[in-house]
C-alpha cells in the first residue's frame, strides 16, 4: 500500500524464457463493494530480452529503513537484482533502469537462483532466495537460502562470510523424504513473530505442490532458523489437493 493505492506486481513470461516483463496493477480499495473498486493496469515496470543480464520475473517489494521503496527480482541468467522505485508511480526511480546485482551462482551451470524476498530486521536486510530447480514435482530440487547485509544494496554474505554474488547462501529449508523442493518463499512479520511461507512438493501425493507455513526462530547472532510446518495449515493444503481443489 503506497501513496493511497494498493500496488499489485505481476510477471509475464514463458517457462525458461528471458523475454519477460514485470507489470503493475493498482486499486484504491480492496473492498469489492466500494464504488472505487477497480484494478487499473499501469503497464510495464521493467522488462528483459535475450542478451540482457537479468530475467524480469519474481518481483518482491520492500520499504527500507529510511523509507526508500525497492523491488528485488530475478531468475537464472544474471541472478538476483534490485531496483529502486518511485513510491508515487510504483515504477523505477530512474530511466534507464539502475539495476544493482545482489546474488548469483557463477560456478554453477545455468545459475539456478531465483524468487528473492527481502526483509529488514534489527539492523540487517535479509535476502531469501531459492537455489536449484522447481516445477518438477517430486523430482524438484529447490531449497531456500539466505544472506544478509547492513545496506539494502549489499553486499550480502552468508553466515560463513561468503558473498552471495560469489554463490554464498546459508541453508534455511531443504527437501526431505516426503517434502521435495521447498522454495519460492515469502516472510510474514506478525508483530515481531516471523513466519516462512513457501511451497513444497508432496512425494506421497503424486508430487502435488502444497502450502507450508513455518515459524522462524533466530539464532543469537541473528540468523533465521525455520521450524517444522504448522500442522493445521499443511493438513488443509493436503485436503484441498486430495479433493482436486485449487
Amino acid at each position: 500500500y503506497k501513496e493511497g493505492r494498493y500496488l499489485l506486481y505481476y510477471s509475464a513470461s514463458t517457462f525458461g524464457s528471458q523475454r519477460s516483463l514485470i507489470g503493475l496493477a493498482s486499486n484504491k480499495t480492496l473492498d469489492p463493494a466500494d464504488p472505487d473498486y477497480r484494478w487499473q493496469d499501469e503497464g510495464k515496470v521493467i522488462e528483459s530480452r535475450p542478451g540482457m543480464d537479468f530475467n524480469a520475473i519474481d518481483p518482491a517489494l520492500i520499504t527500507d529503513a529510511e523509507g526508500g521503496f525497492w523491488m528485488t527480482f530475478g531468475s537464472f541468467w544474471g541472478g538476483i537484482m534490485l531496483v529502486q522505485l518511485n513510491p508515487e508511480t510504483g515504477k523505477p526511480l530512474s530511466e534507464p533502469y539502475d539495476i544493482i546485482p545482489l546474488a548469483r551462482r557463477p560456478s554453477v551451470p545455468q545459475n539456478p537462483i531465483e524468487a528473492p524476498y527481502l526483509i529488514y530486521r534489527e539492523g540487517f536486510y535479509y535476502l531469501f532466495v531459492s537455489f536449484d530447480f522447481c516445477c518438477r514435482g517430486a523430482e524438484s530440487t529447490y531449497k531456500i537460502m539466505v544472506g544478509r547485509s547492513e545496506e539494502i544494496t549489499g553486499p550480502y554474505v552468508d553466515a560463513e562470510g561468503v558473498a552471495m554474488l560469489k554463490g554464498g547462501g546459508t541453508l534455511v529449508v531443504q527437501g526431505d523424504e516426503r517434502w521435495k523442493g521447498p522454495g519460492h518463499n515469502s516472510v510474514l512479520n506478525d508483530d515481531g513473530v516471523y513466519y516462512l511461507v513457501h511451497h513444497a512438493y508432496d512425494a506421497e501425493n503424486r508430487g502435488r505442490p502444497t502450502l507450508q507455513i513455518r515459524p522462524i526462530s533466530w539464532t543469537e547472532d541473528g540468523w533465521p532458523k525455520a521450524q517444522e510446518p504448522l500442522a493445521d495449515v499443511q493438513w488443509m493444503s493436503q485436503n484441498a489437493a486430495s479433493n482436486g481443489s485449487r
Side-chain angles (χ1 to χ4, degrees):
Y1 184 73
K2 284 286 182 184
E3 306 295 327
R5 300 185 304 159
Y6 293 92
L7 305 180
L8 174 65
Y9 291 82
Y10 61 88
S11 300
S13 186
T14 55
F15 192 83
S17 165
Q18 197 185 9
R19 182 68 185 98
S20 308
L21 178 143
I22 294 169
L24 170 64
S26 67
N27 204 332
K28 293 181 180 179
T29 176
L30 298 183
D31 180 5
D34 191 308
D36 286 333
Y37 179 85
R38 186 172 74 91
W39 286 104
Q40 175 69 40
D41 193 345
E42 306 281 353
K44 179 183 71 174
V45 177
I46 190 170
E47 67 178 320
S48 59
R49 297 175 181 272
M52 289 183 169
D53 191 39
F54 60 87
N55 189 20
I57 66 170
D58 294 357
L61 286 297
I62 182 174
T63 300
D64 68 23
E66 288 74 45
F69 192 37
W70 302 80
M71 179 176 73
T72 183
F73 66 95
S75 173
F76 289 67
W77 279 276
I80 304 305
M81 305 294 176
L82 181 73
V83 62
Q84 189 168 12
L85 303 179
N86 182 331
E88 293 183 2
T89 65
K91 296 189 176 183
L93 196 60
S94 62
E95 183 67 40
Y97 314 133
D98 183 14
I99 302 295
I100 302 167
L102 299 185
R104 58 172 59 105
R105 304 178 70 192
S107 63
V108 181
Q110 300 184 57
N111 191 32
I113 180 173
E114 59 188 2
Y117 199 88
L118 275 170
I119 66 168
Y120 180 76
R121 179 184 182 271
E122 297 185 0
F124 287 101
Y125 295 93
Y126 290 83
L127 175 61
F128 294 81
V129 297
S130 295
F131 276 11
D132 299 330
F133 297 92
C134 77
C135 314
R136 301 179 177 185
E139 302 301 316
S140 300
T141 56
Y142 248 11
K143 52 181 175 283
I144 299 171
M145 313 293 287
V146 71
R148 72 183 185 185
S149 171
E150 293 182 352
E151 303 292 334
I152 193 168
T153 54
Y156 288 84
V157 300
D158 64 19
E160 304 300 320
V162 180
M164 293 189 78
L165 281 170
K166 296 184 177 180
T170 295
L171 180 67
V172 180
V173 177
Q174 64 182 347
D176 57 25
E177 188 170 329
R178 178 176 182 182
W179 299 106
K180 306 297 183 180
H184 208 140
N185 76 278
S186 59
V187 177
L188 171 66
N189 177 3
D190 184 15
D191 196 23
V193 179
Y194 290 83
Y195 296 90
L196 187 78
V197 183
H198 64 89
H199 68 73
Y201 300 90
D202 188 352
E204 296 182 7
N205 191 9
R206 296 176 290 172
R208 286 183 179 271
T210 301
L211 170 70
Q212 292 189 339
I213 301 177
R214 298 171 181 262
I216 297 175
S217 61
W218 299 86
T219 65
E220 290 186 2
D221 53 353
W223 288 95
K225 294 290 184 181
Q227 306 304 307
E228 289 299 307
L230 300 178
D232 52 345
V233 174
Q234 186 168 285
W235 179 85
M236 286 188 291
S237 300
Q238 291 173 41
N239 269 307
S242 64
N243 289 332
S245 303
R246 292 181 181 271

